[in-house]
Amino acid sequence: MKNILTLLLFLPFLTSAQHTISGTFQPANTFTTVYLYQINPTSQNYLNYISHTRLDENSSVSIDLPKELAPGMYQLNFGIPRTDYHFNFIYNGKEDIVFEYSQEGGVKYLESEENMVYLEYLDKSQMTKELLSAVFYPDVSEKDYKAVFEAIAEIQHHFELRSMGLMARSFIKTGRSPIPDQKIGPTEYLELEKEHYFDYINFNDITLQNSFRLVNLCIVYVLKFNPEQLTATYIENIDEVMHRIGDDLNLKKEVATRLWVNFSTAEDNTLANYIADTYLFPVAKKKGDYKLIAEIEQFQATALGSKAPDFQVHEGKKLSDLRGYKRYVLIFWSSTCSHCLKEIPQIHELVSNLDNNKLQVIAFGLEDQLYPWKAAIEDYPNFTHIYGEGKWNNKTAEAYNITATPTYFVLDKDKIIRNKPGSLEELLEILKKE
């Protein structure tokens, strides 16, 4: 009886024991510091900072995980950019985690049943994707076709059984693939995948909510099931995803933001604006994220097809008042920018050889002081020059979301933004076309 009472007294201490995540990085001396984040949908960028520590002389690290740390998905970040140098791991509050990381092979777990099982499942899932890509070859027999899908089903079944009682099972269940009743082609199978895509995705699963899994699954649905990249189909897919998400504002905001960035980067303003107006603005307002609202509005102000934000060009005359030219090139530059001083002369030479009514260049100098800008502009008499006091804090620079110099915009005669060249070569190619 005494032994039982002693065990009961010590049980709380045993169950709340502190655990660690430790490992080594290869190549040695490549990384210096490791940052630990909790993946949390209520945090900025879905990541909540926990702690950081430096690697030792052997490129090893050991981090004590606080006793109060909740079970869930976590991230180790150890390089720049973060998207390239990180891995996510499951912490169940019951085990130590030991890993090896190499730049070539990624992460490998030496201890932690949760992560070893899940990583092995991901490796096998990659194999099933390769099987799927091969099964639709025209010369594949019906017997082999059936065997491939039986193998896929067996792999999935094996890992669902093996992960019983583990947090990893929540993630593994979302990976089920539909098994066709008869031999079908790749187009029909894609339709079958789309039809059953959400059958085993539980949006109410707390483990999935506190990870990037639901976010990634939603993004994949929108992009994958539209092989012809039709705008109407993208909108249908977006609407379906948002319907499935329901009232989860954190997930809805993260998915909408990533999709908006994707289509904005691709300069698909129709889809970017649809996402912003239909989902992102309403969610951001409900969450009080006015910084995000301002960023979207700022981007939309200089998107292709938008009217260029107005500003003073001459005394009493604004950009919108300019007339007489077929096109306008707006350059944000600086007299202290070495790239600008290499590129601006080439643009000036091209413009000097064009007909007078074809093109007007407006050179907006972002400067901290009047000189050396005042002296530099004398070399470019064919430009319309504007002194942008305050450099990055200049109101016009902020309106155009300028973060680097030189930055180029090509406007039509009505001051509509038609091109945003990313380089001098791209700009010169555009200007030579007409």
Side-chain angles (χ1 to χ4, degrees):
M1 184 69 177
K2 184 179 179 181
N3 289 338
I4 294 174
L5 289 173
T6 303
L7 180 61
L8 290 173
L9 285 171
F10 278 97
L11 190 59
F13 297 98
L14 292 172
T15 56
S16 62
Q18 189 171 37
H19 296 285
T20 63
I21 178 168
S22 59
T24 58
F25 290 85
Q26 293 293 334
N29 303 316
T30 302
F31 308 107
T32 59
T33 307
V34 173
Y35 296 84
L36 173 65
Y37 294 91
Q38 178 190 39
I39 300 176
N40 187 324
T42 63
S43 302
Q44 185 72 18
N45 299 321
Y46 254 56
L47 293 175
N48 178 38
Y49 169 81
I50 302 297
S51 64
H52 70 276
T53 189
R54 292 184 65 83
L55 277 67
D56 64 20
E57 65 275 10
N58 299 314
S59 292
S60 299
V61 69
S62 181
I63 302 175
D64 292 330
L65 302 174
K67 292 180 181 179
E68 67 276 10
L69 207 62
M73 184 72 83
Y74 289 80
Q75 182 179 107
L76 277 189
N77 168 255
F78 39 87
I80 298 174
R82 187 174 64 198
T83 52
D84 293 338
Y85 298 104
H86 80 272
F87 62 84
N88 300 331
F89 65 92
I90 301 170
Y91 175 58
N92 60 16
K94 302 175 184 178
E95 60 181 7
D96 292 333
I97 302 165
V98 181
F99 68 88
E100 291 177 348
Y101 177 88
S102 71
Q103 278 189 280
E104 290 186 1
V107 66
K108 175 184 177 182
Y109 294 99
L110 307 180
E111 292 182 28
S112 171
E113 186 181 10
E114 289 278 6
N115 291 286
M116 292 169 74
V117 169
Y118 187 46
L119 186 59
E120 186 179 344
Y121 170 74
L122 293 177
D123 289 341
K124 296 294 185 183
S125 295
Q126 184 59 41
M127 186 184 77
T128 63
K129 289 179 182 177
E130 293 170 3
L131 285 172
L132 273 177
S133 64
V135 78
F136 296 113
Y137 290 153
D139 57 345
V140 172
S141 68
E142 191 150 349
K143 180 181 177 182
D144 290 339
Y145 183 93
K146 183 178 178 181
V148 165
F149 279 103
E150 286 177 351
I152 291 171
E154 178 57 33
I155 290 170
Q156 183 68 30
H157 180 67
H158 167 78
F159 279 98
E160 287 191 23
L161 285 179
R162 189 174 164 189
S163 62
M164 289 287 288
L166 298 179
M167 292 176 64
R169 193 166 192 269
S170 292
F171 302 102
I172 290 171
K173 284 174 64 178
T174 65
R176 292 185 185 180
S177 300
I179 308 300
D181 297 328
Q182 58 185 7
K183 188 175 181 181
I184 57 177
T187 302
E188 291 81 9
Y189 187 75
L190 190 67
E191 293 172 356
L192 186 67
E193 275 191 297
K194 184 174 183 178
E195 180 185 351
H196 294 282
Y197 189 82
F198 293 105
D199 286 359
Y200 303 103
I201 299 173
N202 182 3
F203 283 88
N204 296 316
D205 187 318
I206 300 299
T207 299
L208 294 180
Q209 289 176 351
N210 290 287
S211 73
F212 286 115
R213 184 60 176 162
L214 291 177
V215 175
N216 294 335
L217 286 168
C218 290
I219 302 297
V220 167
Y221 181 87
V222 171
L223 302 180
K224 179 178 181 178
F225 298 115
N226 188 9
E228 296 180 3
Q229 299 185 347
L230 302 176
T231 298
T233 304
Y234 277 131
I235 290 175
E236 289 175 5
N237 292 353
I238 292 165
D239 290 343
E240 179 64 22
V241 159
M242 295 303 172
H243 170 71
R244 297 281 181 169
I245 291 173
D247 297 327
D248 188 337
L249 295 183
N250 295 317
L251 180 57
K252 188 167 285 188
K253 176 191 165 188
E254 186 69 14
V255 171
T257 300
R258 292 192 183 201
L259 288 171
W260 178 78
V261 169
N262 177 80
F263 291 114
S264 297
T265 304
E267 297 185 343
D268 191 330
N269 295 327
T270 300
L271 287 169
N273 290 335
Y274 177 79
I275 294 166
D277 296 338
T278 310
Y279 298 107
L280 206 44
F281 279 135
V283 170
K285 287 176 182 177
K286 285 182 181 179
K287 291 184 65 63
D289 193 340
Y290 298 105
K291 180 182 178 183
L292 177 59
I293 293 172
E295 288 175 354
I296 297 170
E297 289 176 338
Q298 189 176 52
F299 179 88
Q300 289 180 326
T302 58
L304 295 182
S306 300
K307 187 88 170 180
D310 219 356
F311 56 87
Q312 201 78 22
V313 177
H314 301 296
E315 187 174 344
K317 183 171 286 190
K318 295 182 177 180
L319 174 68
S320 58
D321 298 324
L322 299 181
R323 297 289 184 272
Y325 292 89
K326 293 181 179 179
R327 287 188 296 176
Y328 299 82
V329 173
L330 175 57
I331 304 173
F332 287 91
W333 72 297
S334 174
S335 59
T336 58
C337 162
S338 59
H339 288 292
C340 301
L341 297 178
K342 290 179 181 178
E343 297 182 11
I344 298 297
Q346 298 180 58
I347 301 170
H348 189 264
E349 182 181 358
L350 176 66
V351 172
S352 300
N353 295 322
L354 294 176
D355 294 341
N356 291 336
N357 67 336
K358 276 194 172 183
L359 180 70
Q360 182 177 16
V361 175
I362 301 166
F364 201 110
L366 300 178
E367 308 291 339
D368 289 318
Q369 52 190 4
L370 194 58
Y371 290 93
W373 174 83
K374 190 74 172 175
I377 63 174
E378 294 181 3
D379 294 329
Y380 315 116
N382 293 327
F383 290 175
T384 297
H385 292 282
I386 300 170
Y387 177 65
E389 188 176 8
K391 203 161 186 176
W392 307 117
N393 295 322
N394 182 275
K395 288 184 178 180
T396 302
E398 290 176 349
Y400 280 83
N401 195 29
I402 303 302
T403 58
T405 54
T407 296
Y408 303 113
F409 295 87
V410 179
L411 319 179
D412 66 15
K413 62 183 180 63
D414 299 314
K415 321 308 177 302
I416 303 297
I417 300 173
R418 296 304 178 191
N419 300 95
K420 295 196 290 184
S423 65
L424 172 65
E425 292 73 23
E426 189 178 345
L427 173 65
L428 294 178
E429 195 65 34
I430 292 169
L431 298 183
K432 291 175 181 176
K433 286 181 179 178
E434 293 183 17

